[in-house]
Amino acid sequence: MESPCIPTDRAARLADRYSRQILFPGIGVEGQQLLARAHVAIAGCGATGAAAAALLARAGVGHLTIIDRDYVEESNLQRQVLFDEADARDALPKAEATRRKIAAFNSEIQIDAHVSDLVPANIHELLAPASIILDATDNFETRYLLNDYAVEQNKPWIYTAAIGAYAATMNILPGETACLACIFPEPPTGSVDTCDTAGILNTAVNLAASIAVTETLKFLTGQTDKIRRTLLSHDLWLNERTEIAAGTPRPDCTVCDRHIYRHLSGENRPQITLCGRNSVQIHEHNRAVDLNEMRLRLEPHGRVRSNDLLLRLELPAHTITLFPDGRALIQGTTDPALARSLYARYIGS
């Protein structure tokens, strides 16, 4: 976190804007300057990610990398605090919507917004500049990928989850604490609840994000001795709180002891994945797409809406959302074969 001193005029602005935070002994003037020079990556910018991004930006963390593959929908507005009805109406990608919203309330924060799926092929490029990573994803496939990457690079990350009234977080400091694979050697199998099946309270989201961001502030200000070393979970509805010890790595852990990075290598990684809310993601076609040209081609087939960041084709029973890199979300089905067929028919194989 070493970097040149902050110019005097900017230091004065920091002292004024963040005066109430600087009064807190855990931050102070020096801590605030460290935050201004810090770089945090957030993987996913739905409910938890949007809340975390807002908190970090308002706290004065100077540089954020935001990665999200999805776009804003009306059903997001119940819990995704940065977005509004205009974002949903325009189907604005969440990463870009986050960048715009943060720029409106803190123009000094540098935001690198990536409308992208985090995969083995791009994870090193996207996450390398950050000193810590916040997990705000909605699937274990990406979380295990993050775990592999963080352990390989000796970079801290924070696991965060929220579903129903339940919120959980765990800090992973490679070499010091347990990693995700120490606690859960394998991803869960079978049916796993999502916010689309079990619902979610916005209070659970904000609790999880607040805890994760507080732990991040401890790390960024050099107070790693104060970082919690447990898997902490809360059920806000049942008033239950549990902690599982995670202070030391598990001997013979596949990832942090044996350094086998199956998820980072892309082993058995699907190219078509279920994506919640009755939809399938196709990300096997990594190729540039001219959205303007595609709009003209697709207009005879249904209602088309597009901007520089995505294109949406609305068919009678399905909606295809296409991104400039060729990735697509097919809504209206959970059948990968049908999704692939629709992609091939309208976008091309």
Side-chain angles (χ1 to χ4, degrees):
M1 289 180 282
E2 295 295 329
S3 64
C5 293
I6 295 175
T8 303
D9 60 337
R10 187 173 179 220
R13 291 200 307 274
L14 289 176
D16 183 48
R17 179 169 193 139
Y18 304 108
S19 58
R20 303 307 186 271
Q21 187 164 278
I22 289 171
L23 285 171
F24 175 66
I27 302 295
V29 173
E30 182 180 353
Q32 194 63 52
Q33 292 179 347
L34 289 171
L35 295 181
R37 298 194 293 266
H39 189 160
V40 176
I42 303 176
C45 201
T48 307
L55 290 169
L56 289 167
R58 291 187 184 278
V61 174
H63 196 158
L64 300 177
T65 290
I66 309 292
I67 306 155
D68 193 279
R69 66 189 182 187
D70 209 351
Y71 54 88
V72 182
E73 297 180 278
E74 189 174 23
S75 64
N76 300 152
L77 303 182
Q78 167 258 347
R79 64 196 179 281
Q80 298 185 13
V81 296
L82 277 180
F83 311 136
D84 57 34
E85 291 179 351
D87 299 325
R89 185 173 58 249
D90 296 339
L92 198 64
K94 293 178 181 178
E96 175 61 17
T98 297
R99 186 192 67 78
R100 296 182 187 183
K101 292 299 190 297
I102 289 176
F105 68 75
N106 195 339
S107 59
E108 291 199 339
I109 305 301
Q110 181 176 342
I111 307 290
D112 298 330
H114 300 277
V115 183
S116 182
D117 201 20
L118 191 64
V119 295
N122 64 17
I123 191 169
H124 288 87
E125 176 186 358
L126 294 179
L127 299 184
S131 59
I132 187 170
I133 306 159
L134 298 192
D135 159 43
T137 64
D138 59 2
N139 66 90
F140 278 94
E141 179 181 280
T142 306
R143 289 180 175 128
Y144 279 84
L145 173 64
L146 284 171
N147 191 63
D148 278 8
Y149 168 81
V151 172
E152 183 203 51
Q153 297 295 313
N154 194 33
K155 184 171 293 193
W157 73 287
I158 300 179
Y159 160 77
T160 310
I163 188 73
Y166 173 85
T169 72
M170 183 173 77
N171 306 312
I172 293 98
L173 304 175
E176 296 184 39
T177 69
C179 77
L180 184 66
C182 290
I183 305 297
F184 307 110
E186 295 292 336
T189 58
S191 177
V192 178
D193 277 338
T194 69
C195 61
D196 294 286
T197 60
I200 189 166
L201 296 182
N202 55 23
T203 51
V205 167
N206 283 281
L207 175 62
S210 294
I211 294 172
V213 168
T214 303
E215 297 297 305
T216 302
L217 298 181
K218 296 176 188 177
F219 173 79
L220 295 177
T221 55
Q223 300 174 71
T224 56
D225 59 307
K226 293 181 173 61
I227 288 178
R228 193 188 70 256
R229 286 162 166 78
T230 63
L231 170 58
L232 173 66
S233 63
H234 293 260
D235 188 315
L236 299 180
W237 205 254
L238 298 179
N239 302 311
E240 294 176 351
R241 177 183 184 276
T242 61
E243 287 191 74
I244 298 173
T248 56
R250 177 174 57 83
D252 203 36
C253 170
T254 302
V255 178
C256 65
D257 184 49
R258 297 168 59 193
H259 302 290
I260 299 173
Y261 306 121
R262 290 182 295 143
H263 297 271
L264 191 59
S265 69
E267 183 178 322
N268 298 323
R269 184 177 179 86
Q271 295 299 307
I272 298 181
T273 54
L274 297 181
C275 200
R277 58 174 202 282
N278 194 31
S279 63
V280 175
Q281 177 182 212
I282 296 181
H283 46 109
E284 61 184 341
H285 299 291
N286 187 13
R287 64 185 186 192
V289 174
D290 185 324
L291 296 183
N292 289 326
E293 179 183 317
M294 189 64 68
R295 178 189 181 106
L296 295 175
R297 199 175 96 190
L298 294 177
E299 281 179 338
H301 301 284
R303 184 187 180 199
V304 179
R305 291 187 291 162
S306 68
N307 51 43
D308 292 340
L309 301 169
L310 58 78
L311 175 150
R312 298 191 75 189
L313 168 63
E314 297 178 9
L315 303 167
H318 304 91
T319 298
I320 299 175
T321 303
L322 179 67
F323 297 89
D325 61 358
R327 183 171 59 87
L329 296 176
I330 315 296
Q331 287 182 276
T333 183
T334 57
D335 181 350
L338 176 57
R340 188 194 295 272
S341 174
L342 290 168
Y343 185 100
R345 178 178 175 183
Y346 292 103
I347 310 303
S349 57

